[in-house]
Amino acid sequence: MPEKRQAQDHLASPTKRSAKSTTYSSNSAETEAESFIKSATKAIIDSRLDDAITQSSSAFNSLSSKLIDILQLRSQSWSKKAKSAEEHEDALLMMLIEPKHHAGYLRAGKLYSMQGYQDVAMETFKKGLDNISPSDSNYTNIQRGYEWAKVRSQSRVNFLAKCPNEVGSCIIGHLTYDAIVESLAVSRVWRNKLLENPSCWKTFTVKHAAKKSNRLLPTVSPHIEELTVKDMRWFHKALNVIKRHEFPKLHTLNIYHEDDYIKETKSYRSISNVLATLSKTLTHLYIDHISIEPPCLSVILLICRNLTNLKLSHMKANAEWLVGLSLPYMTSLTHLSLTAYIGCGESNKQIGELLR
């Protein structure tokens, strides 16, 4: 227990003692550096290259020592202001400028440990132990930091794995869609729990900025009730996934453009095949994209007999798009919204006017 307490105190302020005793004089540092530089310059003029290298190295070591002192003071100030990112940058600078100095390893390791990254903290402390001489007075402090990070790593509790499924589902239910996708990378247990939880995947969005989550579409297809395709770059991939995998709960399909990306007109045959796959469960269909060539309206109603809501907007439709519309199809349709443009030589007219 005493050793554990010492390690905790050390991690709380790894350079407190050294920071208190640090004094720095800019004038003395400048004078010392200038002296080494003058000596190195004279040695080069006299062709004493070995002496020049020695003097230059001494100048560098002197300045490095002063820089470490300065960075320790600044990083301690960042710590008191709770600016962990800036404190972390200074710790990394100390490790880069003077790899054999203890200060950078102690502060960086402490920060990683406080933030829960015990594995990274252990690696940082281990690197310090490898680079610092055992005779260094702070060598034991780095050892204690390593042991404390190791203890914390072994004592972590994966609460999602320990709690009952009902409690876990309740917790997951408060996460946003983006938070759920990020949580998949926490651990295998979290990933399996989230992928097996139907409430996480009732709605699924395919968009360009979410390539990682897009790849989950085949895995979570049995749970999806509402699918939205925002990105036309993934249009054909999404349709292929729908055709090859089961979507037993899917009742709403949204396809619309989030940006101005239009590479080619999407064939209505692909959409028709998808609609045939989803015909038993699909009740809501919304298509809003100028690059999509839709099936004939009569074909849509014939394939999807359970459709109750249909909205088709901003699409290119030819003169044959209304063929067969007057046939007495049996349909469950209760809401219909059409805004397409007919390219038949006339001025553009909205479909709504042609249906009157």
Side-chain angles (χ1 to χ4, degrees), residues 308-326:
T308 58
N309 291 65
L310 175 61
K311 181 177 180 180
L312 307 174
S313 304
H314 300 97
M315 299 178 305
K316 297 176 181 178
N318 53 42
E320 299 177 355
W321 198 68
L322 295 175
V323 171
L325 185 61
S326 60

Side-chain angles (χ1 to χ4, degrees), residues 24-25 48 59 62 90 110 168 182 260 274 277-278 286-287 299:
Y24 173 69
S25 171
R48 293 181 286 108
S62 175
D90 282 350
K110 177 211 67 168
E182 291 294 329
D260 295 329
V274 168
T277 303
L278 304 174
Y286 307 106
I287 302 178
V299 172

Side-chain angles (χ1 to χ4, degrees), residues 172 175-187 190-191 194-195 200-201 203-207 209-217 220:
I172 293 172
L175 299 177
T176 62
Y177 177 80
D178 292 335
I180 290 172
V181 173
E182 291 294 329
S183 299
L184 290 170
V186 173
S187 67
W190 278 56
R191 182 180 178 84
L194 292 170
L195 291 178
C200 296
W201 311 107
T203 61
F204 193 97
T205 303
V206 177
K207 51 187 179 181
K211 293 182 179 179
K212 290 184 179 179
S213 64
N214 291 348
R215 297 190 184 100
L216 296 173
L217 184 58
V220 299

Side-chain angles (χ1 to χ4, degrees), residues 61-95:
N61 292 334
S62 175
L63 290 174
S64 297
S65 177
K66 297 301 180 183
L67 283 174
I68 294 297
D69 293 341
I70 295 171
L71 287 171
Q72 285 192 75
L73 292 171
R74 190 170 73 172
S75 62
Q76 187 177 9
S77 301
W78 287 129
S79 177
K80 291 184 177 181
K81 292 187 67 175
K83 300 285 187 179
S84 59
E86 290 81 357
E87 183 185 1
H88 180 254
E89 289 180 2
D90 282 350
L92 295 181
L93 274 175
M94 285 187 271
M95 294 167 59

Side-chain angles (χ1 to χ4, degrees), residues 108-260:
K110 177 211 67 168
L111 285 170
Y112 286 131
S113 183
M114 289 176 59
Q115 294 170 357
Y117 304 116
Q118 306 306 330
D119 293 338
V120 184
M122 290 168 62
E123 290 179 7
T124 303
F125 287 128
K126 182 66 169 58
K127 189 175 181 180
L129 293 173
D130 293 339
N131 289 306
I132 295 175
S133 172
S135 60
D136 191 302
S137 59
N138 283 276
Y139 188 85
T140 55
N141 289 335
I142 296 179
Q143 282 183 319
R144 291 170 183 169
Y146 176 85
E147 294 299 329
W148 177 237
K150 186 176 180 180
V151 169
R152 295 190 66 181
S153 176
Q154 295 173 346
S155 62
R156 288 183 299 182
V157 177
N158 193 332
F159 69 89
L160 195 61
K162 298 291 184 180
C163 65
N165 291 333
E166 294 78 7
V167 178
S169 298
C170 184
I171 295 173
I172 293 172
H174 288 80
L175 299 177
T176 62
Y177 177 80
D178 292 335
I180 290 172
V181 173
E182 291 294 329
S183 299
L184 290 170
V186 173
S187 67
R188 287 185 179 181
V189 174
W190 278 56
R191 182 180 178 84
N192 293 335
K193 287 276 188 181
L194 292 170
L195 291 178
E196 294 170 0
N197 193 312
S199 62
C200 296
W201 311 107
K202 287 186 177 180
T203 61
F204 193 97
T205 303
V206 177
K207 51 187 179 181
H208 181 62
K211 293 182 179 179
K212 290 184 179 179
S213 64
N214 291 348
R215 297 190 184 100
L216 296 173
L217 184 58
T219 306
V220 299
S221 62
H223 308 314
I224 298 176
E225 298 180 13
E226 180 177 344
L227 176 62
T228 300
V229 181
K230 289 185 177 182
D231 183 19
M232 290 297 104
R233 299 169 182 85
W234 282 79
F235 180 81
H236 284 301
K237 291 182 180 178
L239 295 189
N240 287 333
V241 170
I242 294 174
K243 287 187 289 185
R244 294 176 182 177
H245 296 81
E246 295 291 333
F247 285 78
K249 298 182 180 180
L250 186 63
H251 57 70
T252 302
L253 177 61
N254 302 299
I255 302 175
Y256 67 93
H257 61 97
E258 196 175 45
D259 51 33
D260 295 329

Side-chain angles (χ1 to χ4, degrees), residues 269-289:
R269 294 182 180 85
S270 298
I271 300 178
S272 298
N273 293 336
V274 168
L275 294 180
T277 303
L278 304 174
S279 60
K280 293 182 180 180
T281 59
L282 194 65
T283 58
H284 294 69
L285 176 62
Y286 307 106
I287 302 178
D288 183 0
H289 202 288

